[in-house]
Amino acid sequence: MKYDVVVIGGGPAGLASAVKAWQGGASVLLIEREAKLGGILKQCIHDGFGVVRFGEKLSGPEYADRFVRALKETNVQVSLLSFVTRIIKQDNMYVITYVCKEGVQTVQCDRIILATGCRERTRNGIFINGDRCAGVYTAGSAQNLVNMLGVMPGKRVVILGSGDIGLIMARRLTLEGAKVVGVYEAKPTPSGLTRNIHQCLKDFDIPMYLSSTVTRVFGKTRLERVEICKVDEHMRPIAGTEEIVEADCLVLAVGLIPENEIARDLNVPIDGKTKGAIVDQNCQTLVDGVYACGNALHVNDLVDYVSESGETAGASAVKNHKRDLREIKTVGKLLYAVPQRLDVNSDVDGVIMYFRASEELSDQRITVRADGETVFTKVYGKLLPPEMERISVDFSKAKSLGEITVTLEDK
Amino acid sequence: MQMVCIVCPNGCRLNVEQTEEGIVVSGQRCKRGEAFAIGELTDPKRSVTSSVRTTVKGYPVVSVKTDGEIPKSKIFELMDMLKNVTLHEPLPIGSVVIGNLFGTGVNVITTTQMEETDE
Amino acid sequence: MKLQKTVKAVKKKYGIDVVAREDDRSIFLSGECNSWDTVVAIGKEFVTEGKHVVNDIRLAGYQPKPERLPLLKDDKLEGTSWDVVVIGGGISGCSVARELTRYNISVLLVEKHSDVARGASGANDGMVHAGIDLKHKCLKLKYGVAGNALYADVCRELGVDFRRSGQYVVFDSRLVTLLARSTVKRSRKHGISGVRTVGKREICTAEPCVKDFAKGALYAPSTGVVSPYQLTVAYAENAVQNGATVSLDTAVLSMERRDDRIVNIVTNRGSFSARCVVNCAGVFADKIAQMASDRYFSIHPRKGTDLLLDPKADGLPNGNISMGPSVKSSHEHTNTKGGGVIRTVDGNYLLGPDAVETPEREDVGTEKSSVDGVFAKQSRVCPSLSKGSVIAYFAGVRAPTYEEDFLIERSSKVRNLVHVAGIQSPGLTAAPAFSKDVAQMVKECLEESGDMVELNDSFDPVRPKPVRAKNLTDSHRDELIKQDPDYGKIVCRCEEISLGEIKQAIRNPLGVHTIDGVKRRVRAGMGRCQGGFCMPIITRVIAEELGIDPSEVTKDDGGSNIAVGRIKEI
């Protein structure tokens, strides 16, 4: 079989890109690993999804369902329970091999959209020592246990990491009858959205402890206790501040990493800061014909933007032109900005850019310049690393598009 | 007093003052912020998401939510009610599981489209 | 006379009053000390040829933690009688059980954990040693060299991956390189083939990461790598396949001796009798001996920590390298023995191990000091490696005697007891060889009290290799999936493990019912997400296969339930 576009991953980014590519006239195959479409949204049963896009507070499964319905209106072919094992480039086409319950399948395509999502950092990645007991889970695993398998991972819970998923799980486990002893965060500031700190922690009187981390776990079979330590400004544990907290479950919400195994196999260059592919404004990576979107591109905090980048990738994957790429350099206190390249041979008006500040900042100005000329500028009263910002930049106003910079500086 | 609006992910930081003319709210980016602040002071409400058990293959539990807000003080009462619900057949998304909660007109509805899967 | 001299010397050196007495087999020590390292050091002072050390010197103020015992209690084994019972399901017990199934006898293996390979056999670096560092005239050398030679055949029979990858021991001084020549000579004498010294140019070509400091190296081509837990599982599965019974969650609690024989063995799953008892209890081997009133050696637990590295990290070697004795670092105090960088049979890299004496027989918790220490020491052979490349770490407790040699013999006091004790490095290497000798000892023991032991005509040495769908060609994989679609459903995305492979492990006659047991067998959960995605799915699969509720599924031993109950029921 030969398709114009193959989308890998059936979460929010993949669903949006498949629909868009089909609407653009392409023949599309969507390959999904699991038995149902929707990706991680299936287990994100809390609400707050789709406020930007639909003006409604949907739950994760509801948000996914809207896109699944849209997909069913198309002729996009969907292969569920399918896992890509190999992609090679042959005669200007990509040959994708995947396994599914029917056997080993091979398809050819012109374009690949990588919508493979992200994975969680683990216990070992953050050097927690101690016993090998049950009851230590990443937040996503704990969420799956509760919301998909219908079992409780613990009754007395410590949460490490104040990212949104940690906060959401604090509320979820509390609602289901567990005692959440506290949310511990190694950074001096919370990592999740302010709104979630209020509705997930403050509403339920769950304490949050900043500049604190878990250094050790104890438990013969199941977790019995954890050791909490204060950390210094370099996030190193301070000796002598150890404190023992009784808990039968430790939930780790210590960060997400874009899943990029396929991108690596295709030699797609990766941005060291986003840990996702380097892309132009059309979500095309530096390898022609390979696109990346959603959380595989960079970890988003709103699914609305995940869908948006999926649509960008899907819409562009049906176009055909020779690219002329310019680097978009970041200057100042920016954690990162996406896209990292501008293709001056395609549309440069209304380029959507996402960025995060590298630290909590007040009264900042973001400025996009092309050859020294300001093409976009905006002032922010407050910027937080956990809250991604989105701007729309019209580069067509610029006289020339040589050196492009994005600068974050004091107002 | 300071308050964070939880209506949307913007999380506007609100300044709320109780004056003789009533409650004055500032800092919101849209008018929902004002309504939220006044509600928080007079009758705080929340929407609730959770799950209920099922006996349907592939669905040990299925996700549900309140289709509107209920009094914050009733959250755990609702959670107890959900313990007594078990679904026995695949229901389409949006099916009412408990109607007219606490006489508020708010229903508990399913938020997952249950279907036969091959897992 | 000599004994009291040592007592005096110890008093002078450590300031400790030790009471020492001896009998024909052992030297018995008692007293009290303030440091565990001193307890062990004093024990070593009394090591004498032809005698074992039983060290009962106490650590002041230390209360030994109670032994971890299974939660399970039933009468599954009550009143049964066996020709042989093997106590312990590590590499020793499982290999011995398998060798015993060559005979027409009833074999029971009891293991107190929920799976085999749970002690040191499940937590070591998987190196099949050449034996170049072993002393003359010890069992380690005898069985280490013989075992190494058997490896390729045993692994082929048991369907376990084995790679004879060789090993470099790198030196940072010319002087040590000269000394290495004696190792070559000694190795030749010990029958270890192919050991040679290697010049600077050769080692730097083979392993460019050492080019800044290497002056030469020793090369041992017969060093190999194997997955220690997969080999242990394979031995156990082959034993079961040939008629042995493996009883998990079964701890020996006491034994009844009548005259010079053990007549009754009490466990948490009932008491039973056996005509011959094989003690393969690892760190508890001396406790088992004590139950049989035959305590004539001591085990001093030694913890080793290994670090698992991201195989994509920069600066890794191509194969196995360790650092030889260094002139520069010889003055450093270190507890670390040998070790190095090992490229595992699965293509991962391990750093380690270290060696820390501990009174705790079962504490496999990891310590920051060990993790940092192993990295600092073992990464010397690949200086550009960064600590961020460490993706996991684990500790295991080894079971050495004070004589630091294997103790593999029939008891001289209890006629139906065989000890397989003190099995530490190179125990994994030696098991294929010593298990055969132990089977012989058991045979002699049985024949002393009964009829001649006959061969088991239906013994099949071949344990079918578990299918690894990922490694098949596309057409073979396609065929397999068409026979059983479960092989086309990928559960562990990082290691590409299918539902079919997981079900195959669960449905094996030995079987497995824990998350970690599945992980050890099929590698599901060993990849970059460390089971984050697949653990809930595997929990569900185990529950479905066993017909239990998902909240009853355990990570490992009984009590280590993944969940504490179903939601809405708390």
Side-chain angles (χ1 to χ4, degrees):
Chain A
M1 272 305 279
K2 159 86 170 58
Y3 293 89
D4 296 327
V5 176
V6 168
V7 179
I8 301 173
L15 290 167
S17 66
V19 170
K20 260 293 190 265
W22 181 82
Q23 286 169 349
S27 59
V28 183
L29 169 68
L30 177 90
I31 299 177
E32 164 56 38
R33 215 168 41 78
E34 296 190 86
K36 286 179 74 184
L37 294 169
I40 206 71
L41 287 176
K42 295 195 294 293
Q43 67 182 53
C44 299
I45 68 168
H46 55 281
D47 65 4
F49 297 92
V51 175
V52 178
R53 190 177 187 99
F54 299 115
E56 287 181 63
K57 280 202 292 187
L58 300 173
S59 70
E62 289 174 311
Y63 184 94
D65 187 65
R66 299 222 171 167
F67 285 85
V68 173
R69 279 170 203 276
L71 187 82
K72 283 184 177 153
E73 302 294 312
T74 70
N75 270 331
V76 171
Q77 298 297 302
V78 177
S79 186
L80 296 172
L81 282 171
S82 300
F83 186 90
V84 173
T85 57
R86 190 166 66 244
I87 303 180
I88 51 166
K89 186 144 197 191
Q90 206 170 52
D91 308 325
N92 259 335
M93 270 190 306
Y94 291 102
V95 181
I96 300 178
T97 306
Y98 64 95
V99 295
C100 60
K101 63 184 197 299
E102 279 77 35
V104 181
Q105 315 284 327
T106 303
V107 292
Q108 295 163 325
C109 65
D110 298 320
R111 308 285 163 88
I112 296 173
I113 298 177
L114 300 173
T116 45
C118 57
R119 68 173 189 272
E120 298 179 279
R121 282 175 76 199
T122 66
R123 164 187 174 180
N124 289 313
I126 52 169
F127 289 96
I128 296 178
N129 278 295
D131 295 332
R132 250 185 273 170
C133 46
V136 182
Y137 308 113
T138 58
S141 302
Q143 191 178 48
N144 189 313
L145 290 174
V146 181
N147 294 344
M148 306 304 283
L149 208 53
V151 295
M152 281 295 275
K155 288 180 183 165
R156 196 178 157 84
V157 184
V158 162
I159 295 184
L160 178 61
S162 62
D164 288 317
I165 180 169
L167 304 176
I168 299 283
M169 283 313 293
R171 176 178 63 181
R172 182 79 190 104
L173 292 167
T174 303
L175 282 176
E176 291 298 343
K179 167 80 185 163
V180 176
V181 187
V183 174
Y184 295 83
E185 168 62 56
K187 295 196 202 93
T189 52
S191 294
L193 298 173
T194 314
R195 166 177 178 260
N196 282 334
I197 292 166
H198 282 259
Q199 62 178 357
C200 297
L201 301 191
K202 298 213 166 140
D203 269 6
F204 298 95
D205 297 321
I206 299 168
M208 167 147 47
Y209 303 94
L210 297 171
S211 298
S212 300
T213 193
V214 173
T215 41
R216 196 175 174 92
V217 294
F218 305 90
K220 282 193 271 296
T221 52
R222 266 196 74 90
L223 183 70
E224 294 161 23
R225 297 178 310 279
V226 300
E227 180 187 82
I228 308 278
C229 235
K230 286 274 168 201
V231 298
D232 63 18
E233 64 272 28
H234 304 291
M235 297 214 277
R236 285 178 309 218
I238 303 169
T241 63
E242 296 85 358
E243 185 196 337
I244 300 294
V245 173
E246 277 184 31
D248 66 353
C249 180
L250 170 63
V251 171
L252 302 172
V254 290
L256 301 170
I257 307 165
E259 188 78 314
N260 269 306
E261 295 307 299
I262 296 175
R264 273 178 220 279
D265 290 346
L266 290 166
N267 295 318
V268 170
I270 303 292
D271 181 335
K273 290 180 190 159
T274 60
K275 312 270 187 248
I278 296 171
V279 292
D280 63 20
Q281 73 270 37
N282 302 314
C283 288
Q284 189 167 183
T285 69
L286 299 188
V287 175
D288 285 340
V290 178
Y291 297 72
C293 54
N295 281 350
L297 180 55
H298 62 122
V299 176
N300 291 253
D301 33 67
L302 293 186
V303 71
D304 309 69
Y305 297 146
V306 167
S307 302
E308 184 177 58
S309 75
E311 288 178 337
T312 303
S316 341
V318 298
K319 294 182 186 151
N320 210 351
H321 67 275
K322 182 114 185 74
R323 288 193 288 172
D324 185 3
L325 297 179
R326 303 291 144 80
E327 185 177 352
I328 301 177
K329 293 197 179 95
T330 57
V331 183
K333 290 172 176 167
L334 281 166
L335 189 62
Y336 68 74
V338 174
Q340 300 89 338
R341 297 288 186 276
L342 187 72
D343 173 18
V344 299
N345 279 357
S346 64
D347 294 345
V348 294
D349 56 332
V351 169
I352 305 297
M353 298 193 71
Y354 308 101
F355 71 88
R356 285 180 198 272
S358 57
E359 56 192 280
E360 193 172 330
L361 298 167
S362 311
D363 299 325
Q364 296 292 300
R365 175 183 288 281
I366 187 107
T367 309
V368 183
R369 294 186 181 88
D371 290 324
E373 177 196 358
T374 299
V375 289
F376 179 90
T377 185
K378 186 177 175 184
V379 170
Y380 291 88
K382 191 156 196 171
L383 285 174
L384 301 168
E387 298 186 3
M388 192 179 83
E389 299 294 337
R390 172 188 183 276
I391 55 176
S392 174
V393 183
D394 184 359
F395 284 97
S396 65
K397 295 190 297 196
K399 287 188 208 74
S400 63
L401 291 168
E403 180 157 313
I404 300 167
T405 58
V406 188
T407 309
L408 186 65
E409 56 204 344
D410 290 344
K411 185 175 79 179
Chain B
M1 67 184 287
Q2 298 269 321
M3 197 182 278
V4 170
C5 177
I6 60 169
V7 173
C8 86
N10 280 333
C12 293
R13 289 149 186 90
L14 309 177
N15 272 311
V16 189
E17 271 174 272
Q18 188 96 43
T19 67
E20 280 168 19
E21 291 91 64
I23 298 165
V24 177
V25 185
S26 58
Q28 67 273 31
R29 276 179 262 188
C30 77
K31 59 178 185 238
R32 288 178 298 178
E34 186 176 357
F36 170 78
I38 293 168
E40 277 299 276
L41 289 184
T42 54
D43 179 20
K45 289 182 169 177
R46 293 288 182 270
S47 45
V48 178
T49 59
S50 183
S51 58
V52 295
R53 283 175 285 186
T54 95
T55 53
V56 180
K57 187 174 177 286
Y59 294 90
V61 283
V62 71
S63 59
V64 297
K65 73 170 185 185
T66 54
D67 62 3
E69 293 186 327
I70 61 163
K72 198 174 155 183
S73 57
K74 297 275 191 191
I75 292 177
F76 281 97
E77 206 174 313
L78 168 61
M79 291 306 297
D80 280 338
M81 289 167 74
L82 294 177
K83 288 182 181 173
N84 299 321
V85 177
T86 304
L87 306 181
H88 298 290
E89 53 189 297
L91 296 177
I93 190 168
S95 301
V96 174
V97 171
I98 304 175
N100 192 17
L101 276 175
F102 315 115
T104 57
V106 173
N107 305 307
V108 176
I109 58 170
T110 62
T111 58
T112 292
Q113 178 74 21
M114 295 167 77
E115 47 196 43
E116 309 281 318
T117 58
D118 179 42
E119 210 177 349
Chain C
M1 257 332 274
K2 186 164 173 287
L3 191 60
Q4 294 318 313
K5 237 172 149 178
T6 315
V7 169
K8 271 187 197 150
V10 163
K11 167 82 181 165
K12 203 172 159 197
K13 190 167 171 187
Y14 301 94
I16 307 281
D17 289 308
V18 175
V19 178
R21 65 177 177 85
E22 60 187 321
D23 67 10
D24 59 326
R25 295 193 294 184
S26 316
I27 295 163
F28 296 85
L29 307 176
S30 57
E32 192 173 274
C33 247
N34 284 320
S35 119
W36 183 256
D37 281 342
T38 311
V39 173
V40 176
I42 293 174
K44 299 227 170 173
E45 297 281 353
F46 284 90
V47 171
T48 317
E49 194 163 346
K51 288 267 169 90
H52 296 282
V53 173
V54 177
N55 189 351
D56 285 330
I57 301 174
R58 286 187 315 274
L59 176 61
Y62 170 73
Q63 273 299 325
K65 288 192 191 132
E67 187 189 337
R68 293 183 189 179
L69 293 170
L71 298 174
L72 189 67
K73 258 196 176 77
D74 63 15
D75 54 3
K76 187 185 115 176
L77 298 171
E78 183 60 39
T80 55
S81 52
W82 305 84
D83 288 320
V84 195
V85 60
V86 178
I87 301 168
I91 185 67
S92 305
C94 293
S95 62
V96 166
R98 186 263 193 167
E99 289 307 316
L100 287 170
T101 57
R102 290 179 189 273
Y103 300 108
N104 213 352
I105 52 177
S106 60
V107 179
L108 169 69
L109 183 147
V110 293
E111 163 57 48
K112 74 167 185 165
H113 290 291
S114 294
D115 194 7
V116 297
R118 282 294 319 284
S121 307
N124 67 81
D125 57 23
M127 199 164 209
V128 177
H129 294 272
I132 51 173
D133 54 344
L134 295 174
K135 277 185 257 151
H136 195 50
K137 270 173 64 179
C138 63
L139 289 184
K140 280 184 177 178
L141 178 69
K142 174 185 168 186
Y143 289 122
V145 174
N148 181 301
L150 292 171
Y151 246 82
D153 287 342
V154 163
C155 288
R156 194 177 320 110
E157 280 180 353
L158 295 176
V160 174
D161 291 329
F162 168 67
R163 202 172 62 240
R164 206 175 279 287
S165 44
Q167 177 192 19
Y168 287 104
V169 182
V170 183
F171 307 118
D172 62 359
S173 86
R174 289 285 304 275
L175 185 72
V176 184
T177 309
L178 292 173
L179 293 174
R181 288 188 187 158
S182 68
T183 308
V184 172
K185 243 167 126 180
R186 192 179 65 210
S187 298
R188 202 168 296 153
K189 201 170 111 197
H190 290 163
I192 305 165
S193 59
V195 180
R196 59 187 169 87
T197 54
V198 162
K200 185 178 172 175
R201 184 176 298 173
E202 185 183 334
I203 176 67
C204 293
T205 308
E207 294 291 359
C209 64
V210 302
K211 65 180 185 321
D212 291 339
F213 63 88
K215 298 284 189 291
L218 199 62
Y219 181 64
S222 59
T223 298
V225 285
V226 73
S227 162
Y229 36 87
Q230 291 194 353
L231 180 64
T232 306
V233 166
Y235 262 124
E237 287 184 357
N238 189 237
V240 171
Q241 195 186 324
N242 285 305
T245 300
V246 172
S247 185
L248 299 171
D249 295 303
T250 308
V252 173
L253 304 173
S254 65
M255 293 185 202
E256 197 183 318
R257 224 180 98 176
R258 199 168 299 150
D259 302 325
D260 57 0
R261 298 185 68 83
I262 297 164
V263 292
N264 193 33
I265 295 161
V266 181
T267 74
N268 56 313
R269 311 195 68 178
S271 52
F272 56 87
S273 65
R275 292 173 56 214
C276 182
V277 178
V278 187
N279 172 12
C280 298
V283 286
F284 288 101
D286 54 348
K287 299 275 182 192
I288 293 292
Q290 188 172 21
M291 287 182 199
S293 308
D294 191 38
R295 185 160 171 258
Y296 65 99
F297 57 89
S298 275
I299 301 294
H300 57 103
R302 187 151 64 205
K303 187 153 137 182
T305 299
D306 282 281
L307 317 184
L308 181 68
L309 302 172
D310 180 353
K312 286 174 183 152
D314 293 324
L316 285 167
N318 300 313
N320 309 316
I321 324 183
S322 64
M323 197 75 193
S326 166
V327 174
K328 286 175 206 150
S329 62
S330 59
H331 61 278
E332 287 170 20
H333 171 75
T334 170
N335 272 323
T336 312
K337 63 166 187 160
V341 186
I342 289 113
R343 186 168 182 201
T344 71
V345 77
D346 301 304
N348 285 318
Y349 285 85
L350 285 176
L351 275 188
D354 62 351
V356 179
E357 297 293 341
T358 164
E360 296 293 342
R361 291 166 192 255
E362 297 183 279
D363 178 11
V364 292
T366 53
E367 301 292 334
K368 186 174 187 300
S369 55
S370 274
V371 173
D372 293 349
V374 168
F375 187 83
K377 175 162 187 211
Q378 306 296 6
S379 66
R380 284 185 302 159
V381 291
C382 37
S384 62
L385 194 70
S386 86
K387 207 176 162 200
S389 324
V390 177
I391 56 172
Y393 36 85
F394 56 86
V397 184
R398 331 295 189 216
T401 60
Y402 280 94
E403 300 73 60
E404 299 288 346
D405 195 10
F406 300 158
L407 187 154
I408 300 171
E409 61 196 22
R410 290 185 62 185
S411 163
S412 60
K413 299 268 163 73
V414 187
R415 294 178 57 109
N416 64 338
L417 177 60
V418 180
H419 294 292
V420 182
I423 307 300
Q424 53 159 320
S425 177
L428 178 70
T429 311
F434 72 64
S435 55
K436 289 180 188 295
D437 279 10
V438 173
Q440 275 305 312
M441 293 176 200
V442 171
K443 179 172 180 277
E444 284 162 20
C445 168
L446 292 175
E447 287 176 347
E448 279 169 18
S449 70
D451 295 338
M452 294 296 282
V453 169
E454 284 166 16
L455 285 174
N456 173 5
D457 292 332
S458 57
F459 176 78
D460 182 357
V462 177
R463 172 251 194 185
K465 187 169 184 164
V467 172
R468 186 82 171 81
K470 182 190 177 180
N471 296 340
L472 298 176
T473 61
D474 283 352
S475 61
H476 281 130
R477 195 173 187 174
D478 188 60
E479 239 169 71
L480 176 70
I481 296 169
K482 291 208 160 71
Q483 281 164 23
D484 183 351
D486 282 346
Y487 287 98
K489 299 178 188 169
I490 301 298
V491 171
C492 167
R493 57 160 89 171
C494 305
E495 296 287 318
E496 209 178 311
I497 312 293
S498 68
L499 180 61
E501 287 156 76
I502 291 167
K503 285 188 177 173
Q504 184 187 31
I506 298 171
R507 292 173 183 175
N508 175 282
L510 173 64
V512 56
H513 58 275
T514 65
I515 297 288
D516 283 0
V518 167
K519 176 171 160 178
R520 283 188 285 268
R521 281 162 181 76
V522 303
R523 296 189 56 75
M526 288 219 185
R528 54 191 187 281
C529 89
Q530 291 287 300
F533 285 112
C534 65
M535 180 274 287
I537 307 173
I538 296 170
T539 303
R540 202 192 64 212
V541 173
I542 292 173
E544 281 170 7
E545 286 289 305
L546 270 56
I548 58 175
D549 190 82
S551 60
E552 295 174 67
V553 175
T554 59
K555 177 180 192 287
D556 228 320
D557 284 349
S560 67
N561 297 48
I562 294 297
V564 295
R566 298 186 62 171
I567 68 164
K568 313 290 176 192
E569 288 172 11
I570 286 177

